Amino acid sequence: MYTAGMSTPDRLIEATRELLWERGYVGMSPKAIQQHAGVGQGSMYHHFTGKPDLALTAIRRTADELREAADRVLDTPGSAYERISAYLLRERDVLRGCPVGRLTMDPDIIASDELREPVDETIAWLRGRLAGIVREGVDRGEFAPSLVPEEIAASVVATVQGGYVLARASGSTDAFDAGVRGLLSLLAPPA
Amino acid sequence: MYTAGMSTPDRLIEATRELLWERGYVGMSPKAIQQHAGVGQGSMYHHFTGKPDLALTAIRRTADELREAADRVLDTPGSAYERISAYLLRERDVLRGCPVGRLTMDPDIIASDELREPVDETIAWLRGRLAGIVREGVDRGEFAPSLVPEEIAASVVATVQGGYVLARASGSTDAFDAGVRGLLSLLAPPA
DNA sequence: GTCTATAGTTGGATAGAC
DNA sequence: GTCTATCCAACTATAGAC
């Protein structure tokens, strides 16, 4: 991670984001954060009250980035199918998993309403965003009127989140791609 | 957990299965295992070489159970859609997540080929099993011939695994159910 | 703001008595 | 087979000097 030129708090936040992604909250120690950030113990506890404080700040930043990245592919012209397809096919670090979704499997995150909140909010936002696009597709006659936008949106997000699981289990990105293609083949408007 | 009447190794294995499900590998300590099993330190290290040994045994048992449970709903008469539907709708402890899939988010599991192996094998088996059913559906004309069985199977498994993520993020099972219904609505043969 | 020192707790395991 | 004692490292801070 390139942290030169960053302020000490930023170096700590970036190190925490990396470690949360790589090892999760329970698998991440303050010492590891300090070492990755190249920052001493005293500095960390000067700028943050402790591990939960730093984690919350890091999670919020990651959540903001994820939203912006999703909006970049969703907020485009094109048919509903094209926009959903663009979301599903966007570049991802598949074997690392989702930096937000992975946190749902962390017991200490789930046990804390404060730490879970930005995770919940991000995924809820994404589901709503996709549901709106599906609804547009239905309204325009692009999708069958029987489709329930909120359900299709949940399927899309779940396919991505589950795709990470399949990929990490097998150690290959193939399973992720297969799941996405499967869903797209079901969603594809009749040619 | 009811462990009365079980042998000491079995009590340890069951306690480990619970803790792996609840807290993951990195979040589970030998001391916690002993306490949950009601077994002393000496006993644990007498029967198992350490935490990895015990975890491997526990994961294998959980994987076996998951396979049997899946086979019970898949190995039935009925159309391909009905069998896949039965799998997707089978009872689950949604907010606890998948006891096998959750392990893919555990860094120490993924870092160890030995611990990852039963996880990989179980999910690969499930994908293959579902792909076979989809293939039958295609062969019988129940599904569109354009569907790729392996891809649909991956979508089905991913929807379930991702459904757990959505549910745990929101703290409610609703999102899981929505994802499943969405996928089923896309998969449903024309009425 | 940053550093080093200190401290109590837990993690993960070994040794040896019984 | 099980128990207690012991061990060293790591975890998660706090204290106080600079």
Side-chain angles (χ1 to χ4, degrees), chain A residues 6-17 30 33-34 37 39-61:
Chain A
M6 291 175 48
S7 69
T8 295
D10 272 350
R11 292 163 71 97
L12 285 163
I13 293 165
E14 290 305 308
T16 303
R17 300 210 305 144
I33 295 170
Q34 295 149 26
V39 156
Q41 197 128 337
S43 294
M44 174 179 149
Y45 285 101
H46 174 75
H47 293 287
F48 298 92
T49 66
K51 177 174 157 173
D53 180 26
L54 192 37
L56 182 57
T57 306
I59 292 170
R60 285 187 176 140
R61 187 177 288 185

Side-chain angles (χ1 to χ4, degrees), chain B residues 55-75:
Chain B
L56 181 57
T57 307
I59 292 170
R60 284 187 175 140
R61 187 177 287 185
T62 295
D64 286 346
E65 274 194 11
L66 193 144
R67 255 190 253 213
E68 282 164 23
D71 249 338
R72 271 196 295 279
V73 291
L74 291 176
D75 200 7

Side-chain angles (χ1 to χ4, degrees), chain A residues 22-24 26-27 96-98 101-102 104-108 110 116 119-121 123 127 146-148 150-155 157-166 168-171 174-175 177-187, chain B residues 22-24 26-27 96-98 101-102 104-108 110 116 119-121 123 127 146-148 150-155 157-166 168-171 174-175 177-187:
Chain A
E22 203 67 41
R23 302 206 32 92
V26 304
R96 295 193 81 191
C98 174
R102 127 186 262 310
T104 62
M105 295 304 149
D106 210 302
D108 290 0
I110 294 303
R116 185 173 60 81
V119 175
D120 183 13
E121 203 201 4
I123 293 183
R127 289 171 59 195
S146 61
L147 295 192
V148 180
E150 289 76 16
E151 293 180 358
I152 300 303
S155 298
V157 179
T159 296
V160 168
Q161 294 295 326
Y164 290 123
V165 172
L166 306 200
R168 285 172 63 92
S170 62
D174 292 354
D177 296 337
V180 164
R181 280 199 301 272
L183 183 65
L184 282 174
S185 71
L186 294 174
L187 201 56
Chain B
E22 204 66 42
R23 302 203 35 89
V26 303
R96 296 192 80 191
C98 175
R102 115 177 280 309
T104 60
M105 295 304 149
D106 211 301
D108 290 0
I110 293 304
R116 186 173 60 81
V119 175
D120 183 14
E121 203 201 3
I123 293 183
R127 289 171 58 195
S146 60
L147 295 192
V148 180
E150 289 75 17
E151 291 181 359
I152 301 301
S155 298
V157 180
T159 296
V160 168
Q161 294 295 327
Y164 289 123
V165 172
L166 306 200
R168 285 172 63 91
S170 62
D174 292 354
D177 297 337
V180 164
R181 281 200 300 273
L183 183 65
L184 282 174
S185 71
L186 294 174
L187 200 57

Side-chain angles (χ1 to χ4, degrees), chain A residues 78-129:
Chain A
S79 69
Y81 176 81
E82 283 166 352
R83 292 158 77 195
I84 291 170
S85 178
Y87 172 72
L88 284 166
L89 296 170
R90 83 171 240 241
E91 218 176 325
R92 287 184 166 83
D93 210 338
V94 171
L95 287 178
R96 295 193 81 191
C98 174
V100 171
R102 127 186 262 310
L103 300 173
T104 62
M105 295 304 149
D106 210 302
D108 290 0
I109 300 276
I110 294 303
S112 157
D113 283 341
E114 203 177 7
L115 291 175
R116 185 173 60 81
E117 193 263 344
V119 175
D120 183 13
E121 203 201 4
T122 303
I123 293 183
W125 171 85
L126 182 58
R127 289 171 59 195
R129 190 79 178 72

Side-chain angles (χ1 to χ4, degrees), chain A residues 78-80 83 133 135-143:
Chain A
S79 69
R83 292 158 77 195
I133 294 172
R135 185 169 301 110
E136 281 180 32
V138 170
D139 289 347
R140 291 179 191 155
E142 198 186 326
F143 291 142

Side-chain angles (χ1 to χ4, degrees), chain B residues 5-143:
Chain B
M6 291 175 47
S7 70
T8 295
D10 272 350
R11 293 163 70 97
L12 286 163
I13 293 165
E14 290 305 309
T16 304
R17 299 210 303 143
E18 283 289 316
L19 285 165
L20 277 175
W21 197 359
E22 204 66 42
R23 302 203 35 89
Y25 184 85
V26 303
M28 171 187 73
S29 72
K31 178 181 286 196
I33 294 170
Q34 295 149 24
Q35 287 171 341
H36 278 246
V39 156
Q41 196 130 337
S43 294
M44 174 179 148
Y45 285 102
H46 174 74
H47 294 288
F48 298 93
T49 66
K51 176 174 160 175
D53 180 25
L54 192 38
L56 181 57
T57 307
I59 292 170
R60 284 187 175 140
R61 187 177 287 185
T62 295
D64 286 346
E65 274 194 11
L66 193 144
R67 255 190 253 213
E68 282 164 23
D71 249 338
R72 271 196 295 279
V73 291
L74 291 176
D75 200 7
T76 55
S79 69
Y81 175 80
E82 284 165 351
R83 294 158 77 195
I84 291 169
S85 178
Y87 171 72
L88 284 167
L89 296 171
R90 84 173 241 240
E91 219 176 323
R92 286 184 165 85
D93 210 338
V94 171
L95 287 178
R96 296 192 80 191
C98 175
V100 172
R102 115 177 280 309
L103 301 173
T104 60
M105 295 304 149
D106 211 301
D108 290 0
I109 300 276
I110 293 304
S112 157
D113 284 343
E114 206 176 4
L115 291 175
R116 186 173 60 81
E117 193 265 343
V119 175
D120 183 14
E121 203 201 3
T122 302
I123 293 183
W125 170 85
L126 182 58
R127 289 171 58 195
R129 190 78 178 73
L130 286 164
I133 294 172
V134 174
R135 186 170 300 109
E136 282 179 33
V138 170
D139 289 348
R140 292 178 189 156
E142 198 185 325
F143 292 142

